[in-house]
């Protein structure tokens, strides 16, 4: 038989009501509320004559906690101890009184937590921004990159012909190309500046789904040949140079002497701004300064030689990435049929996200894992320190339990941990933005989106969870132990002269060992990265960057574009530079030694290459008089360039050692080469397209220490001028105003020179290793933190052991025990647990080392130096921690020891 | 701050409902009485809290209904005290004073 009027509320309502009201109401009151709700329903049923179950409503039930909370002034909370809130408050009060009693311990715990939480929050905020947050584009997963795959499987930029091919793909909603551009701009006030921009075809902004914040996108007239000259500005340039003037739309800016009407302003953000020869997207921190329409003639679209273009597209709704990949692969396989130039080549589709973050993903994940280990060490450290605290209060807690305090009183320990964790974590979170600022200064610009990293709510949420986790884990050990302790045992153990409880000491030793093992892993990984970085720095780049300043600029338009005028301009610039006091050499080139802008094919005259032979290609570079001597690249055979290799001199070239070995069987001097691209540029029959090799010079690694040597052909700058120039000077490094002097010397020649950065070549070289350096420095810091924490733990353990065994030491001394034996005993307490931890650490570090193999340069993952140094450093530190306590043990006075009994 | 000895609007209504009901003066009938008389939905939680507030101020007393034969917890029966009755009378007098000689414009 069903009872019509139930005596209880349905379980779900009851649970909700009780769990909320229980915080500040007595059980009796809650039961009364429940009874009333039941009664009300019963009366309603009777009144309306409805049989069966009339529902309880959430609205009705939710009213009770709300009104009871608001009404507590009228119906006050009786001062009863069984309410969790009151107990918690009491616990918190007790904890706040207890914590300052051991200031050193409290401060240490807070500092450890602040540092480890701060570091974790900082690194997480970077990872969150760079890796987890979506790119700013709508549906970023649909944005893709498209590249050519060459026969050697390396990626390359697309040719205009390939772009046409790709437009036939049915799977892309839009498709556009981009390539680097730069332009000299004369602001109304001040000197000419060089802006960096991007040339884009239609489909580029559509693929990124980017809309201008002011103005309109390019229209189809503007993106086709013969259309009006227009420009789209970047938000940063618009803000910093044009004062965010919305009236700029429709105005005309002169870029490189071309008047261009401003049609719009694109917001700052991640844009593919250019593509390197190695087919890697380059991204400016805030986007390019400007975009201009790329307008190829019909004829140029037939070009299948010039690998110029980066291509970005957007998948249409109905196509998955895999399906699109397959379609692209099919098209790629047929490229050879379209044009023999593309024989053996293919196409590949990449996700744009991986283009942006792919390169840094590994090192950021490594950093995150590392910082997690630091946090784990910090947590273990805090747990060990809390154990020490709990131990010193063991008698108090046991006595409380004996006097009738419930076991839940031991929540007290948790409350203390929670307070410590909240303070430490709070400080850590406050610290995080400072750390992030410091990190931003040190971070290589190559990490995209890094500048967006902030400690935001999501990051704070993660930190809060971490703080809770740490306090829960770190607080549970001591609390469990306190709960298990018996009064007699506790009182006996806390009596003066008693030793530390065996279980507890074992536990503490275990914690020390755990920290030591984690620290060893950190140290090994840090050691490997340091070794790898040293190897990177030891690589001979083929030039001497010390004391060299470089300035990149554009030839001013006032000079004109005939070769004689440019040669004369370059001569004057070089002389002006040589007049700077302290300058020992000066020279000009088309590219800085740390750039590779132009790679092209060539033919060796008198040699026929079969269709199966590898094509001959090289990086083409132009250098002025004195430049190779300036950067100290040695001439190995024949001669370098001299003043005779001028405009009217015989066309000559110099090749590097790699080209000589690869193409000329190391006998290059005297051979003749033909450069078809020069003929294309200067017209059929251009005499300068055929050049005689007059010398062989040393290899230069233009793309940094990790790049292979590659063939290069150098031509005299005077015989083949360039609109973009790099001036270099070797200058006495002690001159602090060297950069300013170089700048004014160049500006003195012509103020219309679009001068970009004047930078030391060393700092440019440093960019190659910036990522490695960044990872290394952070890991070394984390390793040091881990080491310090492990040492602290060792010290805490030993000093505990010594303190509780003073009596024993005293008696042993009195009985004539040699100091050596006591010292061994004390040191063993430190080194023993650390030693076992170290062994475990080495075992864990081995797979860890293999996991980071991709980050290592010329360093084996099992590098003996790193694997040997880490344990030695750790054990020495543990030893030092032990030695700090040794004095006290050796001074133990038997009389004192016995008196305390 | 509200004066402790002045009846609030809802307190006034609850007190009247208790005075009007005869015998079955526990909260469920009070809630229903209020709904019937005012024609509006009344939150039972508000009645619960108000009854206890009035008791604390001495306008009501309460006792557990010890009559047997019911399932569950005994109900709490409220009763108007002398000071509760005074408070009601005083509230009415105050209102009467305020109404005296007052004519409002006809509602349109």
């Amino acid at each position: 038989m069903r009872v019509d009027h139930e005596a209880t509320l349905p379980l779900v309502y009851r649970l909700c009501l009780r769990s909320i009201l229980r915080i500040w109401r007595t059980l009796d009151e809650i039961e009364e509320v429940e009874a009333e709700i039941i009664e009300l329903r019963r009366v309603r049923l009777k009144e309306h004559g409805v049989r069966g179950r009339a529902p309880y409503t959430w609205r009705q039930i939710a009213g009770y906690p709300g009104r009871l909370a608001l009404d507590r002034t009228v119906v006050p909370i009786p001062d009863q101890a069984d309410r969790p809130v009151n107990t918690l408050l009491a616990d918190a009060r007790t904890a706040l009184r207890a914590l300052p009693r051991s200031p050193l311990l409290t401060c240490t715990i807070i500092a450890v937590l602040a540092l480890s939480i701060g570091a974790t929050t900082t690194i997480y905020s970077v990872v969150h921004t760079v890796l987890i947050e979506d790119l700013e584009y709508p549906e970023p997963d649909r944005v893709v990159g498209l590249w050519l795959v060459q026969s050697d499987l390396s990626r390359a930029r697309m040719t205009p012909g390939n772009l046409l091919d790709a437009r036939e793909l049915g799977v892309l909603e839009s498709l556009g190309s981009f390539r680097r551009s730069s332009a000299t701009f004369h602001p109304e006030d001040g000197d000419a500046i060089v802006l960096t921009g991007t040339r884009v075809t239609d489909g580029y902004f559509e693929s990124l789904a980017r809309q201008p914040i002011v103005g309109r996108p390019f229209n189809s007239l503007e993106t086709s040949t013969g259309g009006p000259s227009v420009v789209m500005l970047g938000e940063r340039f618009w803000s910093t140079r044009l004062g965010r003037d919305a009236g700029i739309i429709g105005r005309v800016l002169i870029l490189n002497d071309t008047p261009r009407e401003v049609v719009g302003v694109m917001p700052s953000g991640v844009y593919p701004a250019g593509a390197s020869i190695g087919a890697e997207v380059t991204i400016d921190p805030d986007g390019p300064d400007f975009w201009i329409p790329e307008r190829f003639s019909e004829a140029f679209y037939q070009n299948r030689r010039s690998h110029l273009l980066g291509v970005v597209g957007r998948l249409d709704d109905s196509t998955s990435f895999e399906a699109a990949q397959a379609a692209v692969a099919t098209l790629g396989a047929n490229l050879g049929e379209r044009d023999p130039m593309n024989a053996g080549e293919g196409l590949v589709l990449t996700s744009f996200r991986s283009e942006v973050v792919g390169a840094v993903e590994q090192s950021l994940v490594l950093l995150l894992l590392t910082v997690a280990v630091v946090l784990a060490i910090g947590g273990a450290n805090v747990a060990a320190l809390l154990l020490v605290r709990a131990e010193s209060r063991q008698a108090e807690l046991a006595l409380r339990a004996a006097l009738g305090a419930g076991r839940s009183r031991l929540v007290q320990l948790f409350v203390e941990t929670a307070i410590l964790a909240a303070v430490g974590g709070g400080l850590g979170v406050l610290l995080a933005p400072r750390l992030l600022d410091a990190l931003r200064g040190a971070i290589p610009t190559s990490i995209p989106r890094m500048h967006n990293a902030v400690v935001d709510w999501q990051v704070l949420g993660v930190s809060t969870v971490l703080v809770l986790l740490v306090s829960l884990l770190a607080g549970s050990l001591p609390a469990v132990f306190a709960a298990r302790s018996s009064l007699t045992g506790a009182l006996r153990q806390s009596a003066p002269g008693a030793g530390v409880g065996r279980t507890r000491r074992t536990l503490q030793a275990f914690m020390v060992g755990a920290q030591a093992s984690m620290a060893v892993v950190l140290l090994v990984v840090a050691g490997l990265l340091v070794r790898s970085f040293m190897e990177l720095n030891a690589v001979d780049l083929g030039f001497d960057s010390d004391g060299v300043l470089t300035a990149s600029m554009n030839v001013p338009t006032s000079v004109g574009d005939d070769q004689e005028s440019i040669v004369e301009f370059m001569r004057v610039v070089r002389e002006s530079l040589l007049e700077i006091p302290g300058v020992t050499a000066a020279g000009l080139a088309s590219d800085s030694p740390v750039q590779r802008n132009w790679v092209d094919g060539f033919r060796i005259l008198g040699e026929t290459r079969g269709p199966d032979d590898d094509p001959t290609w090289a990086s083409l570079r132009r250098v002025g008089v004195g430049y190779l001597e300036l950067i100290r690249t040695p001439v190995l055979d024949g001669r370098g360039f001299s003043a005779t290799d001028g405009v009217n001199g015989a066309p000559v070239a110099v090749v590097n050692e790699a080209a000589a070995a690869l193409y000329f069987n190391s006998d290059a001097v005297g051979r003749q080469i033909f450069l078809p691209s020069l003929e294309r540029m200067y017209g059929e029959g251009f005499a300068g397209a055929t050049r005689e090799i007059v010398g062989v010079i040393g290899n230069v690694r233009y793309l940094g220490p990790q790049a292979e040597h590659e063939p290069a052909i150098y031509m005299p700058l005077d015989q083949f001028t360039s609109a973009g120039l790099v001036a270099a000077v070797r200058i006495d490094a002690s001159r602090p105003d060297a950069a300013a002097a170089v700048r004014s010397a160049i500006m003195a020649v012509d103020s219309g020179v679009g001068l970009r950065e004047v930078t030391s070549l060393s700092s440019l070289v440093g960019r190659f290793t910036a990522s490695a350096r960044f990872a290394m420095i952070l890991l070394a810091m984390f390793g040091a933190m881990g080491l310090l924490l492990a040492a602290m733990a060792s010290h805490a353990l030993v000093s505990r052991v010594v303190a509780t065994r003073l009596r024993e030491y005293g008696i042993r001394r009195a009985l004539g025990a040699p100091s050596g034996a006591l010292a061994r005993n004390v040191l063993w307490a430190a080194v023993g647990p650390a030693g076992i931890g170290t062994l475990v650490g080495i075992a864990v570090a081995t797979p860890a080392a293999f996991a980071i193999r991709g980050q290592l340069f010329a360093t084996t993952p099992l590098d003996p130096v790193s694997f040997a140094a880490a344990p030695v450093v750790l054990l020495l530190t543990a030893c030092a921690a032990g030695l700090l306590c040794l004095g006290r043990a050796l001074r133990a006075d038997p009389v004192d020891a016995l008196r305390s009994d | 701050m509200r004066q402790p000895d002045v009846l609030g609007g809802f307190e006034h209504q609850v007190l009247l409902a208790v005075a009007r009901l005869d015998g079955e003066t526990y909260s469920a009938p009070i809630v229903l009485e209020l709904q019937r008389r005012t024609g509006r939905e009344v939150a039972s939680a508000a009645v619960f809290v108000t009854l206890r507030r009035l008791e604390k101020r001495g306008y009501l007393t309460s006792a557990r209904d010890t009559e047997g034969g019911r399932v569950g917890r005994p109900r709490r029966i409220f009763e108007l005290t002398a000071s509760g009755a005074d408070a009601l009378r005083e509230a009415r007098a105050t209102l009467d004073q305020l109404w005296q000689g007052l004519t409002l414009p006809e509602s349109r």
Side-chain angles (χ1 to χ4, degrees), chain A residues 184-202:
Chain A
T184 311
F185 172 68
H186 297 264
E188 282 164 16
D189 49 337
D191 299 322
I193 50 169
V194 172
L195 304 180
T196 57
T198 305
R199 284 176 182 276
V200 298
T201 60
D202 55 345

Side-chain angles (χ1 to χ4, degrees), chain A residues 3 5 7 28-29 31-33 35-36 39-40 42-44 47 60 63-64 67-68 71 74-76, chain B residues 26-28 31-32 35-36 41-46 48-49 52-53 56 64 70-73 75-76:
Chain A
V3 181
H5 4 215
D28 194 53
E29 273 181 302
E31 281 176 357
E32 194 156 332
V33 169
E36 231 189 86
E39 183 69 14
L40 194 67
R42 191 184 66 81
V43 172
R44 278 201 170 124
E47 192 93 344
Q60 181 194 10
Y64 286 86
R67 286 178 203 265
L68 282 168
D71 210 63
V74 182
V75 186
Chain B
Y26 57 94
S27 67
V31 172
L32 295 178
Q35 281 182 353
R36 251 197 311 273
E41 192 70 24
V42 173
S44 57
F48 178 94
V49 170
R52 278 149 189 80
R53 195 190 304 143
K56 181 145 194 300
R64 289 279 165 84
R70 283 189 64 254
V71 186
R73 194 186 163 87
R75 320 180 270 217
R76 187 174 288 275

